[in-house]
Amino acid sequence: ATLARAEAAAGSEHRGSEGPIQVEIKLPDGSRVQGCFTAGAPVAALAAVALRSAWGEANRPWGVRLRERHPPRVLQEGQAISQDMHRSVVIVLEEVPDESALEAETQASATLTPPPASAEVPPPPPMPVLERNVSELQRRTLEAFEAHAFELAGMESQEAMERARRGGGAPPPPPRRLRGSPSGCFSWSMSSSCRASRL
């Protein structure tokens, strides 16, 4: 953020690589870089060169102040580089923010940073559709009833099922005698002779 502000104030045409005015910049770790500028370039161009150095990239300072060695003076932000600064030495001092400035900057960055997008939950898969073959169910039910009727008629289970699958009609179940009925009288059909015998 500090480098971006310095480059914006310096302008894209003042990168410190062209110009007749040579300025040596001494960094806080003791290393030095050199920049070439034209007369009238903003002092922010000196700060941008310092912040683009290896020291600036490694430390990313919150802010810097510039001070010229001879004559000793502090360079102001709105000041321009003049011809008398040719072959001069500019000392870079790192600024450490106080708590109020740091809190204000943190609040400003939080305001500009959009909240993270909530993860969208995918919709649940559709419920499976149960398909029923009604005619098949009816056929199997009828086969089961027919096979049961064949079993009541005295067939084995396997033979009764095969006859039912072939579509053979099952015979009616054998008649059952009623208790106390005369011989030849049945529950499902009474003959006239039975009725006559009862009379």
Side-chain angles (χ1 to χ4, degrees), residues 74-146:
V74 176
L75 301 179
Q76 304 297 329
E77 184 176 353
Q79 189 175 343
I81 298 175
S82 57
Q83 187 65 40
D84 59 356
M85 295 179 65
H86 180 56
R87 296 187 181 277
S88 64
V89 178
V90 173
I91 301 173
V92 178
L93 303 175
E94 182 177 357
E95 286 187 337
V96 179
D98 55 15
E99 293 184 1
S100 59
L102 189 60
E103 183 178 356
E105 185 173 349
T106 303
Q107 292 178 353
S109 61
T111 304
L112 295 176
T113 303
S118 58
E120 296 183 359
V121 180
M127 296 295 293
V129 179
L130 298 179
E131 298 182 357
R132 294 182 179 179
N133 192 337
V134 178
S135 60
E136 180 67 16
L137 291 176
Q138 289 178 344
R139 185 183 65 80
R140 292 185 179 181
T141 303
L142 292 175
E143 286 181 357
F145 277 113
E146 293 289 341

Side-chain angles (χ1 to χ4, degrees), residues 16-98:
S17 56
E18 296 180 358
I21 303 175
Q22 299 179 3
V23 179
E24 187 176 277
I25 302 171
K26 184 178 179 181
L27 302 170
D29 62 353
S31 61
R32 296 170 183 253
V33 293
Q34 187 169 335
C36 299
F37 307 92
T38 57
V43 169
L46 295 168
V49 171
L51 294 170
R52 282 195 298 267
S53 66
W55 167 84
E57 292 181 355
N59 294 274
R60 298 183 181 276
W62 181 82
V64 293
R65 286 185 301 160
L66 305 178
R67 183 170 61 85
E68 193 175 6
R69 178 176 291 179
H70 297 293
R73 57 174 179 172
V74 176
L75 301 179
Q76 304 297 329
E77 184 176 353
Q79 189 175 343
I81 298 175
S82 57
Q83 187 65 40
D84 59 356
M85 295 179 65
H86 180 56
R87 296 187 181 277
S88 64
V89 178
V90 173
I91 301 173
V92 178
L93 303 175
E94 182 177 357
E95 286 187 337
V96 179
D98 55 15

Side-chain angles (χ1 to χ4, degrees), residues 136 139-140 142-148 150 157-170:
E136 180 67 16
R139 185 183 65 80
R140 292 185 179 181
L142 292 175
E143 286 181 357
F145 277 113
E146 293 289 341
H148 183 65
F150 282 123
S157 299
Q158 184 175 359
E159 183 182 1
M161 182 58 70
E162 291 177 357
R163 288 283 299 274
R165 288 176 180 173
R166 289 197 298 267

